[in-house]
Amino acid sequence: MKFAVVSDHQYSQFIAWLLLGLMLSTSPLYAEEDLTVTVIVEGLEGELLTNALAFMDINEFNGKPAPVESRVRWLHQRAPDEIRQALQPFGYYQPAIEDSLELEDSEWVARYRVKQGPPLLIDNVDVQVLGEGADDLAYQRRLNKLPFVKDQILIQPRYEAFKQDLQWVATERGYFDAKMAVSEIRVRLEDNKADIKLHFDTGKRYQFGQVHFPDDAFAPEFLRRYLDFQPGDPYNAARLLDLQSDLVSSDYFDQVEVDAPLENAEDYTVPIDVQLIPRKARKYSFGLGYGTDTGVRGKAGVDGRHFNRWGHHYRAELVASQIRYSLGGEYIIPGADPRTDQYSFRASLAAEDSDTKDTQTARIGVSKKKQYETWLSILSLEYLWEQFSFDGSDEETTALLMPSINLSRVSAQDRLFVKRGNRLGLLLRGSYEQLLSDISFVQGALQTKWIWPIGEKGRLVTRADLGSTWASDFDRLPATLRFYAGGDNSVRGYSLDSIGPRDDDDNVVGGKHLLVGSLEYQYYFLDKWGIAAFVDTGDAFDTETPEFKTGVGLGLRWLSPVGPIRVDLASGLDEPGDTVRLHLNIGPDL
């Protein structure tokens, strides 16, 4: 791109040179001799040099076969004026230029020695925003940070960019009749000064009119809950983009178009038209996988994306592995603001028959989910019934009415491969024996994971899990609510849930408290392949102090299209650790 300033005098010169060029063009374009052109510009650098070369027509032949001699000399004669014109946008109006053209061996050498001269400095600056936009904070911020001020060198590209920015703000914020009332730079070459006068008249600001939604798959009254503006509010294009993004993110629609046709505006009011193409009413999903803790596992599910015109939807999923199965369903009702609020009713049946425990669990409950910026809050009230035993021990049956609050946050730019990010989860739940519960208990838990870049190819991954429980009768606390350690996502080198307090028959029965930590370094020697070294330690315990069990190991990492695949070989250094244990995990880091 080249920057130019054109005056009436220069325009007349351009016409004269054009006529001369047309006369010369009747002669052959290229010389018969095997000559080339070399262009040398001295005294300039950076954007000044770049713009000068872009303006110089003779530079088009630099390093190429030369035209006939008359054309070379004509192009050379024009070059000093072209250099002067190229320097003006950057504040240099009086350069001194020495030029020479010599035929050396088989090339024309065109040389230009440039002294930029004194720069043109800005003297008086008169920039005003007129009309309703004069009080707009968007314009006030720009007026407070002008890119050109008194005693600076006059850089005209900054001036032009500022003018375009004023017009962009007008389009963005609804000043559709805005115009440049005054736009001039007065140059005083006698004292190397320039005065800037720029008056921008925004005119009247338009406002939002009625928002028209289609009346087919969804009730317009429901869709209007996605609006964060009302008819009569000042126009703001960013809010229309937010509306489109929110509707796309709702999972109701395949295509969303939000249009504000100015040709339909009346009395400075712009109507909004929203066109929607709904997704298929149901989505089916199937999956098959393998985990060293669970063995072969699979799942099948269905999502009812829009059960009715008010955005109600449901989901059901069956998950089964060699040691566990669960069948659950959830009916979801959007809240007053469906972008952040929703209510749900859910029920599930689950069972586990592992080396540690044998459980049958039924749950039914209600919850309210709300998104606060980066935090997700889930308030729940759940009735839980569980029958459980530990490898042949006597069965216990416990029922609990259990309120809970769960806060979580994930911060990462790319969830599939996180270079820097973190995850934090907080859980508090409990029951009271006098309220439809067999025991009273209170439990809190914290889960966190952090990822930091180390150099260009390395990552440091840290993880911590903490928890504590108080129960009036811990022996009757359901097995699924107790703490365990060991497994793919806990202390590697130990089998799933193998770390914890044991009964008289050496069965792991779960603990009141949990403390687990992990430190891992990953190095990616190829774009998609990496190696890892890690140490995990932790314990699930009932006593005042834990007896940490530690595992160390090495791993292989592959960044697959569905997320990182992690293959680890770990050794448990304490009982009941394995000498070598394979761990396999697939899925996002956070």
Side-chain angles (χ1 to χ4, degrees):
M1 179 180 293
K2 60 183 181 181
F3 301 96
V5 178
V6 180
S7 66
D8 291 341
H9 174 66
Q10 290 169 328
Y11 180 75
S12 300
Q13 285 184 323
F14 171 75
I15 295 298
W17 283 117
L18 179 62
L19 293 174
L20 179 58
L22 289 174
M23 290 186 293
L24 290 174
S25 65
T26 58
S27 60
L29 184 60
Y30 290 97
E32 295 181 1
E33 297 87 357
D34 187 17
L35 299 178
T36 59
V37 175
T38 298
V39 177
I40 301 173
V41 178
E42 300 173 347
L44 298 180
E45 59 184 16
E47 58 186 357
L48 296 180
L49 178 59
T50 300
N51 208 43
L53 293 175
F55 263 80
M56 297 168 63
D57 288 339
I58 194 172
N59 191 56
E60 295 180 9
F61 295 94
N62 189 22
K64 299 178 181 178
V68 295
E69 180 179 350
S70 58
R71 184 169 177 81
V72 172
R73 294 188 181 280
W74 175 66
L75 292 172
H76 170 70
Q77 190 176 1
R78 293 185 56 187
D81 283 339
E82 292 170 337
I83 294 174
R84 291 186 182 91
Q85 187 178 2
L87 297 182
Q88 288 180 8
F90 300 96
Y92 296 97
Y93 277 72
Q94 302 183 70
I97 303 174
E98 296 180 5
D99 61 273
S100 63
L101 178 65
E102 297 178 357
L103 183 60
E104 300 178 0
D105 296 330
S106 61
E107 64 177 349
W108 288 104
V109 178
R111 189 182 304 273
Y112 308 92
R113 298 178 178 87
V114 183
K115 294 182 179 179
Q116 298 166 197
L120 200 68
L121 300 181
I122 299 172
D123 190 11
N124 299 307
V125 178
D126 179 11
V127 179
Q128 298 181 36
V129 173
L130 310 174
E132 287 191 4
D135 298 324
D136 194 317
L137 290 178
Y139 281 117
Q140 290 298 321
R141 285 193 293 266
R142 284 159 174 80
L143 292 178
N144 291 334
K145 295 183 179 180
L146 288 175
F148 42 83
V149 295
K150 184 178 177 63
D151 294 331
Q152 278 187 348
I153 297 176
L154 175 64
I155 308 295
Q156 292 195 40
R158 297 178 185 174
Y159 171 78
E160 294 298 331
F162 183 75
K163 288 168 57 178
Q164 293 177 3
D165 191 35
L166 294 180
Q167 189 59 61
W168 180 87
V169 174
T171 303
E172 171 77 11
R173 299 182 67 79
Y175 302 101
F176 297 120
D177 299 329
K179 61 182 179 181
M180 201 68 66
V182 179
S183 174
E184 62 183 25
I185 299 176
R186 295 186 178 182
V187 175
R188 308 198 308 269
L189 291 179
E190 63 276 7
D191 53 4
N192 282 312
K193 297 290 185 179
D195 298 327
I196 294 177
K197 187 174 184 180
L198 182 61
H199 293 177
F200 186 73
D201 188 354
T202 67
K204 185 176 176 63
R205 187 175 184 180
Y206 284 61
Q207 60 188 18
F208 287 120
Q210 292 296 324
V211 182
H212 303 285
F213 290 101
D215 187 14
D216 44 14
F218 294 90
E221 294 81 1
F222 164 66
L223 295 175
R224 288 193 181 95
R225 297 185 199 170
Y226 284 91
L227 300 176
D228 64 352
F229 61 87
Q230 298 298 324
D233 288 350
Y235 182 94
N236 189 332
R239 294 194 172 184
L240 298 183
L241 291 175
D242 289 341
L243 173 61
Q244 183 178 38
S245 176
D246 291 336
L247 290 172
V248 169
S249 301
S250 69
D251 201 37
Y252 293 131
F253 308 104
D254 264 333
Q255 186 174 333
V256 178
E257 294 183 5
V258 179
D259 187 26
L262 288 179
E263 61 273 15
N264 296 338
E266 295 182 359
D267 297 328
Y268 298 98
T269 300
V270 185
I272 310 301
D273 294 326
V274 181
Q275 299 298 321
L276 303 170
I277 298 179
R279 291 188 169 184
K280 292 182 179 179
R282 283 177 293 278
K283 173 188 174 183
Y284 299 94
S285 61
F286 302 91
L288 186 65
Y290 176 82
T292 48
D293 287 339
T294 61
V296 177
R297 59 176 182 257
K299 68 177 181 179
V302 58
D303 287 357
R305 287 170 166 152
H306 43 94
F307 182 71
N308 59 25
R309 287 168 51 82
W310 294 94
H312 294 198
H313 51 289
Y314 65 88
R315 61 174 61 101
E317 186 175 67
L318 171 65
V319 179
S321 71
Q322 292 177 246
I323 64 171
R324 294 173 180 164
Y325 85 83
S326 64
L327 175 64
E330 186 175 20
Y331 187 83
I332 303 162
I333 302 173
D337 187 344
R339 300 169 302 172
T340 59
D341 304 342
Q342 70 176 38
Y343 303 89
S344 66
F345 300 90
R346 64 182 185 274
S348 66
L349 296 173
E352 177 178 336
D353 185 5
S354 66
D355 294 338
T356 303
K357 53 186 177 290
D358 184 3
T359 64
Q360 294 83 41
T361 307
R363 298 170 182 258
I364 185 170
V366 297
S367 67
K368 178 186 178 182
K369 183 184 296 185
K370 186 173 182 62
Q371 186 76 46
Y372 298 94
E373 297 294 335
T374 58
W375 286 92
L376 176 65
S377 165
I378 302 177
L379 297 174
S380 300
L381 181 62
E382 183 177 64
Y383 189 78
L384 178 148
W385 175 93
E386 182 167 305
Q387 187 176 76
F388 61 95
S389 64
F390 300 97
D391 195 19
S393 65
D394 294 338
E395 285 188 343
E396 287 282 358
T397 301
T398 302
L400 302 172
L401 181 64
M402 186 168 58
S404 67
I405 178 171
N406 193 322
L407 298 174
S408 61
R409 185 195 70 185
V410 175
S411 175
Q413 291 184 344
D414 183 355
R415 291 289 300 275
L416 285 182
F417 180 61
V418 180
K419 293 184 178 180
R420 182 190 299 272
N422 60 80
R423 180 193 70 213
L424 181 64
L426 300 168
L427 172 65
L428 181 64
R429 59 188 174 188
S431 67
Y432 182 51
E433 191 171 352
Q434 304 301 320
L435 294 177
L436 303 177
S437 299
D438 292 332
I439 62 170
S440 299
F441 87 101
V442 177
Q443 185 177 82
L446 180 148
Q447 292 183 326
T448 184
K449 190 174 184 178
W450 294 77
I451 299 175
W452 291 276
I454 303 294
E456 293 185 1
K457 298 183 178 181
R459 297 196 311 167
L460 182 66
V461 181
T462 63
R463 169 171 50 87
D465 299 322
L466 299 87
S468 186
T469 308
W470 172 86
S472 61
D473 186 355
F474 186 77
D475 290 339
R476 298 197 64 190
L477 186 71
T480 57
L481 300 183
R482 303 185 186 190
F483 291 119
Y484 307 86
D488 297 343
N489 298 299
S490 182
V491 182
R492 286 165 287 186
Y494 301 80
S495 61
L496 177 66
D497 295 348
S498 63
I499 300 174
R502 297 173 179 264
D503 62 14
D504 294 337
D505 296 323
D506 203 35
N507 298 316
V508 178
V509 296
K512 298 178 181 179
H513 314 295
L514 177 70
L515 186 57
V516 171
S518 174
L519 184 65
E520 178 176 317
Y521 175 74
Q522 301 175 359
Y523 179 80
Y524 284 82
F525 52 90
L526 295 174
D527 287 343
K528 301 292 183 180
W529 290 91
I531 55 176
F534 58 84
V535 56
D536 301 338
T537 189
D539 190 22
F541 55 100
D542 290 337
T543 56
E544 293 184 358
T545 58
E547 296 180 2
F548 289 114
K549 311 297 189 296
T550 301
V552 297
L554 300 173
L556 183 67
R557 303 290 181 263
W558 177 48
L559 303 182
S560 77
V562 297
I565 294 179
R566 297 174 286 272
V567 181
D568 294 322
L569 290 177
S571 176
L573 304 183
D574 306 288
E575 291 292 338
D578 296 323
T579 303
V580 177
R581 185 173 183 83
L582 173 69
H583 295 274
L584 174 63
N585 258 315
I586 302 174
D589 286 307
L590 296 178

